[in-house]
Amino acid sequence: MSTSTLRIALIYPELLGTYGDGGNAIVLAARARWHGLPAEVTEIRAGDPVPAGCDAYLFGGGEDEPQALAAAGMRGGGLTAAVHEGAVVLAVCAGLQIVGTSFPGTDGQLHDGVGLVDLTTAPGSPRSVGDLVVAPGPGLGLPLLYGYENHGGRTTLGAGLAPLGDVRRGVGNGTALRTDGVWAEVGHGLVVGTYLHGPVLAQNPTLADRLLRHLVPALPPLAVDQPPVRAAEEASRELREARARQTGEH
């Protein structure tokens, strides 16, 4: 962070907001404040360049044509420079595809991504719809991540690029490796991509704190106790864990 206030940019929500992923910005800002860190959310509207001066950039799922428009807008902004300087990116579903080098459009033609990381997406069949459970990489210090997926892409990571984690239930990236998303340090920044909707940070607040810790390594403990929120988080997690046990995916 280059200022005392955490600056969170929600990118093109009218194009990449089909599945409510804009809620990730609300959650990240709330978690930051509960840790005693001032935070503000700025919506970057379609047609506006992406500024280079934010600490976190969040974007989510969208249909094929809006996805192509969003990618074109991002390529002309300051996203790449911001990441190399230390910003965090959370890219969900269509967003995951956009941070790579190419993704398919409605007619099967390939569109250029932003090229933050070396991944490509091709059309796949059948469409991946349903619960998604991901076991994060062992070095990330995160528990199982829960959510749902709804996409037709098959995403392949370049050599040496690490996924967010292994798929315990669902499809995720859709390759034989049975992985989901990407976790990549780019310059001084961090790019995290996933097919987990939910919104993913609402379902998995430990992931929100992990992103904050990249920006503030000495992340203060939660400064404000929120018993109702904690109870809701625990109840939601217990429900998902019980469902995973019932299907043998735990």
Side-chain angles (χ1 to χ4, degrees):
M1 295 174 57
S2 57
T3 69
S4 59
T5 298
L6 180 72
R7 297 158 302 176
I8 300 168
L10 180 61
I11 308 299
Y12 303 160
E14 65 271 65
L15 299 178
L16 300 175
T18 303
Y19 302 98
D21 298 309
N24 288 319
I26 297 173
V27 173
L28 190 63
R31 297 294 294 188
R33 293 172 188 136
W34 295 348
H35 282 282
L37 304 174
E40 61 183 21
V41 177
T42 300
E43 292 190 3
I44 309 303
R45 311 302 296 185
D48 292 337
V50 177
C54 296
D55 300 294
Y57 296 80
L58 281 63
F59 39 99
E63 298 177 357
D64 289 346
E65 291 185 11
Q67 179 185 10
L69 290 172
M74 289 187 207
R75 287 197 300 272
L79 180 62
T80 299
V83 172
H84 280 272
E85 289 297 318
V88 166
V89 168
L90 176 64
V92 178
C93 197
L96 165 64
Q97 299 175 11
I98 286 173
V99 298
T101 58
S102 64
F103 59 88
T106 304
D107 55 2
Q109 72 184 60
L110 290 180
H111 295 273
D112 290 335
V114 177
L116 281 175
V117 292
D118 180 20
L119 65 82
T120 60
T121 302
S125 182
R127 189 172 183 85
S128 304
V129 180
D131 288 338
L132 180 58
V133 180
V134 177
L140 301 182
L142 293 170
L144 287 177
L145 303 176
Y146 296 91
Y148 72 92
E149 60 185 336
N150 187 347
H151 62 95
R154 299 295 183 265
T155 297
T156 300
L157 306 186
L161 201 57
L164 171 61
D166 296 327
V167 171
R168 294 288 182 85
R169 182 181 186 188
V171 176
N173 291 346
T175 67
L177 296 176
R178 295 275 295 161
T179 60
D180 174 69
V182 66
W183 186 284
E185 294 186 3
V186 177
H188 297 290
L190 177 67
V191 176
V192 179
T194 181
Y195 278 111
L196 282 161
H197 295 294
V200 61
L201 297 187
Q203 298 281 9
N204 307 278
T206 53
L207 178 58
D209 285 356
R210 181 63 179 81
L211 300 181
L212 291 173
R213 195 168 288 111
H214 180 86
L215 297 170
V216 184
L219 186 67
L222 288 172
V224 179
D225 191 15
Q226 300 281 338
V229 175
R230 288 180 180 274
E233 290 174 355
E234 291 172 3
S236 175
R237 186 161 197 87
E238 289 173 0
L239 179 63
R240 289 190 172 276
E241 288 175 349
R243 180 169 180 171
R245 286 193 295 271
Q246 290 172 1
T247 60
E249 305 292 343
H250 55 79

PDB file of all heavy atoms in Angstrom, residues 65-84:
ATOM      1  N   GLU A  65     -19.691 -11.630 -25.037  1.00  0.00           N
ATOM      2  CA  GLU A  65     -19.469 -10.319 -25.644  1.00  0.00           C
ATOM      3  C   GLU A  65     -19.022  -9.274 -24.621  1.00  0.00           C
ATOM      4  O   GLU A  65     -18.050  -8.541 -24.866  1.00  0.00           O
ATOM      5  CB  GLU A  65     -20.734  -9.871 -26.385  1.00  0.00           C
ATOM      6  CG  GLU A  65     -21.013 -10.710 -27.632  1.00  0.00           C
ATOM      7  CD  GLU A  65     -22.190 -10.179 -28.426  1.00  0.00           C
ATOM      8  OE1 GLU A  65     -22.650  -9.047 -28.122  1.00  0.00           O
ATOM      9  OE2 GLU A  65     -22.643 -10.877 -29.341  1.00  0.00           O
ATOM     10  N   PRO A  66     -19.672  -9.171 -23.450  1.00  0.00           N
ATOM     11  CA  PRO A  66     -19.158  -8.243 -22.442  1.00  0.00           C
ATOM     12  C   PRO A  66     -17.736  -8.587 -22.005  1.00  0.00           C
ATOM     13  O   PRO A  66     -16.933  -7.681 -21.726  1.00  0.00           O
ATOM     14  CB  PRO A  66     -20.148  -8.402 -21.289  1.00  0.00           C
ATOM     15  CG  PRO A  66     -21.409  -8.844 -21.931  1.00  0.00           C
ATOM     16  CD  PRO A  66     -20.977  -9.733 -23.062  1.00  0.00           C
ATOM     17  N   GLN A  67     -17.411  -9.862 -21.952  1.00  0.00           N
ATOM     18  CA  GLN A  67     -16.057 -10.266 -21.577  1.00  0.00           C
ATOM     19  C   GLN A  67     -15.032  -9.720 -22.567  1.00  0.00           C
ATOM     20  O   GLN A  67     -13.978  -9.200 -22.172  1.00  0.00           O
ATOM     21  CB  GLN A  67     -15.961 -11.789 -21.519  1.00  0.00           C
ATOM     22  CG  GLN A  67     -14.580 -12.318 -21.164  1.00  0.00           C
ATOM     23  CD  GLN A  67     -14.509 -13.837 -21.228  1.00  0.00           C
ATOM     24  OE1 GLN A  67     -15.423 -14.502 -21.713  1.00  0.00           O
ATOM     25  NE2 GLN A  67     -13.418 -14.397 -20.746  1.00  0.00           N
ATOM     26  N   ALA A  68     -15.332  -9.829 -23.855  1.00  0.00           N
ATOM     27  CA  ALA A  68     -14.413  -9.314 -24.877  1.00  0.00           C
ATOM     28  C   ALA A  68     -14.265  -7.796 -24.772  1.00  0.00           C
ATOM     29  O   ALA A  68     -13.159  -7.254 -24.912  1.00  0.00           O
ATOM     30  CB  ALA A  68     -14.904  -9.707 -26.269  1.00  0.00           C
ATOM     31  N   LEU A  69     -15.365  -7.097 -24.503  1.00  0.00           N
ATOM     32  CA  LEU A  69     -15.304  -5.647 -24.340  1.00  0.00           C
ATOM     33  C   LEU A  69     -14.465  -5.277 -23.121  1.00  0.00           C
ATOM     34  O   LEU A  69     -13.663  -4.336 -23.160  1.00  0.00           O
ATOM     35  CB  LEU A  69     -16.717  -5.080 -24.193  1.00  0.00           C
ATOM     36  CG  LEU A  69     -17.612  -5.108 -25.441  1.00  0.00           C
ATOM     37  CD1 LEU A  69     -19.028  -4.687 -25.073  1.00  0.00           C
ATOM     38  CD2 LEU A  69     -17.047  -4.189 -26.524  1.00  0.00           C
ATOM     39  N   ALA A  70     -14.643  -6.024 -22.030  1.00  0.00           N
ATOM     40  CA  ALA A  70     -13.887  -5.744 -20.815  1.00  0.00           C
ATOM     41  C   ALA A  70     -12.392  -5.948 -21.040  1.00  0.00           C
ATOM     42  O   ALA A  70     -11.567  -5.136 -20.603  1.00  0.00           O
ATOM     43  CB  ALA A  70     -14.384  -6.629 -19.675  1.00  0.00           C
ATOM     44  N   ALA A  71     -12.037  -7.033 -21.708  1.00  0.00           N
ATOM     45  CA  ALA A  71     -10.620  -7.313 -21.960  1.00  0.00           C
ATOM     46  C   ALA A  71      -9.993  -6.198 -22.790  1.00  0.00           C
ATOM     47  O   ALA A  71      -8.866  -5.757 -22.518  1.00  0.00           O
ATOM     48  CB  ALA A  71     -10.465  -8.657 -22.669  1.00  0.00           C
ATOM     49  N   ALA A  72     -10.709  -5.729 -23.794  1.00  0.00           N
ATOM     50  CA  ALA A  72     -10.180  -4.656 -24.639  1.00  0.00           C
ATOM     51  C   ALA A  72      -9.952  -3.389 -23.825  1.00  0.00           C
ATOM     52  O   ALA A  72      -8.943  -2.689 -23.992  1.00  0.00           O
ATOM     53  CB  ALA A  72     -11.134  -4.385 -25.800  1.00  0.00           C
ATOM     54  N   GLY A  73     -10.884  -3.079 -22.917  1.00  0.00           N
ATOM     55  CA  GLY A  73     -10.728  -1.897 -22.084  1.00  0.00           C
ATOM     56  C   GLY A  73      -9.567  -2.016 -21.113  1.00  0.00           C
ATOM     57  O   GLY A  73      -8.836  -1.054 -20.864  1.00  0.00           O
ATOM     58  N   MET A  74      -9.365  -3.189 -20.565  1.00  0.00           N
ATOM     59  CA  MET A  74      -8.282  -3.385 -19.598  1.00  0.00           C
ATOM     60  C   MET A  74      -6.906  -3.314 -20.245  1.00  0.00           C
ATOM     61  O   MET A  74      -5.940  -2.866 -19.623  1.00  0.00           O
ATOM     62  CB  MET A  74      -8.443  -4.735 -18.897  1.00  0.00           C
ATOM     63  CG  MET A  74      -9.591  -4.800 -17.931  1.00  0.00           C
ATOM     64  SD  MET A  74      -9.572  -6.362 -17.015  1.00  0.00           S
ATOM     65  CE  MET A  74     -11.313  -6.528 -16.657  1.00  0.00           C
ATOM     66  N   ARG A  75      -6.813  -3.738 -21.487  1.00  0.00           N
ATOM     67  CA  ARG A  75      -5.502  -3.733 -22.144  1.00  0.00           C
ATOM     68  C   ARG A  75      -4.965  -2.318 -22.319  1.00  0.00           C
ATOM     69  O   ARG A  75      -3.761  -2.118 -22.408  1.00  0.00           O
ATOM     70  CB  ARG A  75      -5.600  -4.421 -23.516  1.00  0.00           C
ATOM     71  CG  ARG A  75      -5.742  -5.933 -23.424  1.00  0.00           C
ATOM     72  CD  ARG A  75      -5.426  -6.588 -24.755  1.00  0.00           C
ATOM     73  NE  ARG A  75      -6.303  -6.138 -25.830  1.00  0.00           N
ATOM     74  CZ  ARG A  75      -7.475  -6.683 -26.125  1.00  0.00           C
ATOM     75  NH1 ARG A  75      -7.932  -7.709 -25.424  1.00  0.00           N
ATOM     76  NH2 ARG A  75      -8.197  -6.208 -27.119  1.00  0.00           N
ATOM     77  N   GLY A  76      -5.850  -1.342 -22.337  1.00  0.00           N
ATOM     78  CA  GLY A  76      -5.395   0.021 -22.540  1.00  0.00           C
ATOM     79  C   GLY A  76      -5.185   0.814 -21.267  1.00  0.00           C
ATOM     80  O   GLY A  76      -4.894   1.996 -21.327  1.00  0.00           O
ATOM     81  N   GLY A  77      -5.311   0.167 -20.095  1.00  0.00           N
ATOM     82  CA  GLY A  77      -5.216   0.895 -18.836  1.00  0.00           C
ATOM     83  C   GLY A  77      -3.943   0.601 -18.072  1.00  0.00           C
ATOM     84  O   GLY A  77      -2.947   0.111 -18.621  1.00  0.00           O
ATOM     85  N   GLY A  78      -4.002   0.874 -16.774  1.00  0.00           N
ATOM     86  CA  GLY A  78      -2.814   0.770 -15.939  1.00  0.00           C
ATOM     87  C   GLY A  78      -2.731  -0.485 -15.108  1.00  0.00           C
ATOM     88  O   GLY A  78      -1.940  -0.542 -14.155  1.00  0.00           O
ATOM     89  N   LEU A  79      -3.519  -1.512 -15.447  1.00  0.00           N
ATOM     90  CA  LEU A  79      -3.565  -2.716 -14.625  1.00  0.00           C
ATOM     91  C   LEU A  79      -2.202  -3.400 -14.534  1.00  0.00           C
ATOM     92  O   LEU A  79      -1.737  -3.742 -13.438  1.00  0.00           O
ATOM     93  CB  LEU A  79      -4.610  -3.687 -15.186  1.00  0.00           C
ATOM     94  CG  LEU A  79      -4.778  -5.006 -14.430  1.00  0.00           C
ATOM     95  CD1 LEU A  79      -5.248  -4.754 -12.997  1.00  0.00           C
ATOM     96  CD2 LEU A  79      -5.768  -5.911 -15.168  1.00  0.00           C
ATOM     97  N   THR A  80      -1.556  -3.612 -15.660  1.00  0.00           N
ATOM     98  CA  THR A  80      -0.275  -4.332 -15.663  1.00  0.00           C
ATOM     99  C   THR A  80       0.767  -3.594 -14.831  1.00  0.00           C
ATOM    100  O   THR A  80       1.483  -4.200 -14.022  1.00  0.00           O
ATOM    101  CB  THR A  80       0.227  -4.516 -17.098  1.00  0.00           C
ATOM    102  OG1 THR A  80      -0.734  -5.292 -17.839  1.00  0.00           O
ATOM    103  CG2 THR A  80       1.564  -5.241 -17.113  1.00  0.00           C
ATOM    104  N   ALA A  81       0.861  -2.285 -15.006  1.00  0.00           N
ATOM    105  CA  ALA A  81       1.829  -1.505 -14.241  1.00  0.00           C
ATOM    106  C   ALA A  81       1.547  -1.578 -12.752  1.00  0.00           C
ATOM    107  O   ALA A  81       2.468  -1.701 -11.932  1.00  0.00           O
ATOM    108  CB  ALA A  81       1.807  -0.054 -14.710  1.00  0.00           C
ATOM    109  N   ALA A  82       0.263  -1.527 -12.383  1.00  0.00           N
ATOM    110  CA  ALA A  82      -0.097  -1.575 -10.968  1.00  0.00           C
ATOM    111  C   ALA A  82       0.309  -2.898 -10.333  1.00  0.00           C
ATOM    112  O   ALA A  82       0.824  -2.931  -9.210  1.00  0.00           O
ATOM    113  CB  ALA A  82      -1.599  -1.359 -10.810  1.00  0.00           C
ATOM    114  N   VAL A  83       0.080  -4.000 -11.058  1.00  0.00           N
ATOM    115  CA  VAL A  83       0.439  -5.312 -10.514  1.00  0.00           C
ATOM    116  C   VAL A  83       1.946  -5.420 -10.326  1.00  0.00           C
ATOM    117  O   VAL A  83       2.431  -5.889  -9.283  1.00  0.00           O
ATOM    118  CB  VAL A  83      -0.088  -6.438 -11.428  1.00  0.00           C
ATOM    119  CG1 VAL A  83       0.443  -7.793 -10.975  1.00  0.00           C
ATOM    120  CG2 VAL A  83      -1.610  -6.446 -11.425  1.00  0.00           C
ATOM    121  N   HIS A  84       2.706  -4.995 -11.288  1.00  0.00           N
ATOM    122  CA  HIS A  84       4.159  -5.074 -11.164  1.00  0.00           C
ATOM    123  C   HIS A  84       4.668  -4.228 -10.003  1.00  0.00           C
ATOM    124  O   HIS A  84       5.720  -4.542  -9.422  1.00  0.00           O
ATOM    125  CB  HIS A  84       4.826  -4.663 -12.477  1.00  0.00           C
ATOM    126  CG  HIS A  84       4.840  -5.744 -13.505  1.00  0.00           C
ATOM    127  ND1 HIS A  84       5.841  -6.677 -13.594  1.00  0.00           N
ATOM    128  CD2 HIS A  84       3.947  -6.061 -14.484  1.00  0.00           C
ATOM    129  CE1 HIS A  84       5.579  -7.527 -14.576  1.00  0.00           C
ATOM    130  NE2 HIS A  84       4.435  -7.169 -15.137  1.00  0.00           N
TER     131      HIS A  84
END
